Amino acid sequence: MISPAATEALATFLSQMTALRGAAKNTTEAYQADILGFLAFITQHTAAPQGLNALKAITVQDMRAWMAFERGRGVGARSLARSLSAVKSFYAWLAEREGFEPTAVLSTRAPKFQNKLPRPLTKDAAVKVLDNLEVQATEAWIGARDVAVVTLLYGCGLRISEALGLKGRDAPLADVLRIKGKGGKERIVPVISAAREAVDAYIKLCPHPSEPDMALFRGARGGALNPRLIQKVMERSRLQLGLPATATPHAMRHSFATHLLGAGGDLRAIQELLGHASLSTTQAYTAVDAAHLMDVYERAHPRR
């Protein structure tokens, strides 16, 4: 059983993540699940409730036992690395608050794994998806809404949460948008004319009156649009067009970055447009572009 003191400490840590670092709800929920899983294992492993004093006494052997247990139940290297990162963040915060040395936890090495490359669509496929979204809807305004949302993902590189986070007051769209992304980080995103026109077309057809503080994109009953609905229409489109399962809403954002890079876009500028905290995250798109070039080379070179 996890002690009340440890439970209270975790709750405080998560609330500070939200208040001070602007962590999204999904992020704090993932951290909570990972850390609770760790605490539950340690409680069982040591056969004792994990109060704060017990947490301070965690050893390298305890950490190894936890990681072995996680791998033994089928947790992949990527997921385990994420869980370890959450545990380390919690311990770094707890050590500062309680005044103890967290070396045993912080020195634990994450398992190695190979980063997955982004899976963008081709330019033709991205255009076909947008065309297909408009004709598959049962109502014209819903088709216009879906096109507007996905155009913002592909035309401006927004995350789906960022597109659906737009309010009525943001329309009509200006030449640039001020977007608050992960961790509360703000960035300025240029808005292409196709995106402005798609949003304008949606607003004209939408039966629900626009309100400044309401979500710009609305569901059939007038509430904020659920991201799952955009995932579903993308799923139908990819089945109809014969596209791979990787053709998701987020793939449209990947396509935005990859196509910009392929057209000679500057990597630093693309980093800013996407809102990546680290350039290394954006650099994954250079590997995608190189892989595409090698594929073209292998298929087209006369001496292949």
Side-chain angles (χ1 to χ4, degrees):
M1 179 180 178
I2 301 169
S3 75
T7 302
E8 182 274 330
L10 177 56
T12 303
F13 167 69
L14 294 172
S15 67
Q16 289 191 11
M17 276 185 64
T18 302
L20 301 180
R21 292 162 48 185
K25 181 181 178 182
N26 287 347
T27 301
T28 56
E29 288 178 350
Y31 267 64
Q32 182 178 38
D34 289 337
I35 297 166
L36 283 175
F38 169 79
L39 294 176
F41 168 80
I42 292 296
T43 298
Q44 186 174 15
H45 177 65
T46 59
Q50 294 304 293
L52 295 185
N53 287 332
L55 291 179
K56 297 174 187 178
I58 294 287
T59 66
V60 171
Q61 289 72 27
D62 293 330
M63 295 300 296
R64 288 174 180 166
W66 169 63
M67 295 182 73
F69 170 78
E70 292 292 286
R71 294 307 296 267
R73 68 186 187 93
V75 175
R78 181 186 301 273
S79 296
L80 182 53
R82 186 203 67 193
S83 296
L84 177 60
S85 177
V87 171
K88 284 184 175 181
S89 294
F90 173 61
Y91 257 82
W93 171 85
L94 186 65
E96 184 175 353
R97 190 181 85 157
E98 299 294 323
F100 68 94
E101 181 54 58
T103 302
V105 175
L106 300 188
S107 64
T108 302
R109 292 185 179 181
K112 292 183 179 180
F113 60 89
Q114 190 167 9
N115 283 320
K116 294 181 180 177
L117 291 179
R119 299 289 185 89
L121 281 67
T122 65
K123 293 178 184 178
D124 287 345
V127 172
K128 287 179 180 178
V129 165
L130 289 169
D131 291 341
N132 186 263
L133 290 175
E134 191 167 16
V135 299
Q136 70 168 270
T138 55
E139 296 183 57
W141 80 269
I142 290 180
R145 178 201 68 192
D146 296 344
V147 169
V149 172
V150 178
T151 301
L152 286 169
L153 309 185
Y154 179 53
C156 303
L158 300 190
R159 300 177 177 92
I160 189 169
S161 60
E162 294 168 348
L164 299 188
L166 294 174
K167 302 293 185 183
R169 60 175 172 270
D170 294 315
L173 299 187
D175 292 339
V176 296
L177 282 173
R178 185 179 294 275
I179 297 296
K180 182 175 286 189
K182 287 186 176 181
K185 182 182 178 183
E186 285 194 350
R187 69 186 191 277
I188 301 297
V189 177
V191 181
I192 61 173
S193 58
R196 288 197 298 274
E197 291 164 7
V199 171
D200 287 344
Y202 153 69
I203 291 172
K204 288 177 183 176
L205 293 173
C206 182
H208 306 292
S210 179
E211 299 177 33
D213 295 324
M214 277 291 293
L216 174 60
F217 295 109
R218 315 284 274 277
R221 297 181 180 179
L225 178 60
N226 189 316
R228 179 60 187 146
L229 293 178
I230 299 299
Q231 292 166 354
K232 284 184 176 179
V233 298
M234 280 291 296
E235 184 178 338
R236 287 198 295 269
S237 281
R238 75 169 181 253
L239 291 173
Q240 291 167 3
L241 297 171
L243 298 175
T246 53
T248 62
H250 202 64
M252 301 300 283
R253 173 173 151 92
H254 289 324
S255 303
F256 163 83
T258 305
H259 298 166
L260 271 184
L261 185 64
D266 176 73
L267 199 61
R268 284 284 184 187
I270 295 172
Q271 177 192 1
E272 289 297 320
L273 291 172
L274 293 174
H276 287 162
S278 169
L279 184 63
S280 63
T281 306
T282 317
Q283 284 173 331
Y285 294 103
T286 63
V288 172
D289 200 46
H292 171 69
L293 288 175
M294 286 304 297
D295 182 55
V296 171
Y297 174 83
E298 292 290 343
R299 286 188 283 107
H301 197 280
R303 299 298 295 273
R304 66 186 184 280

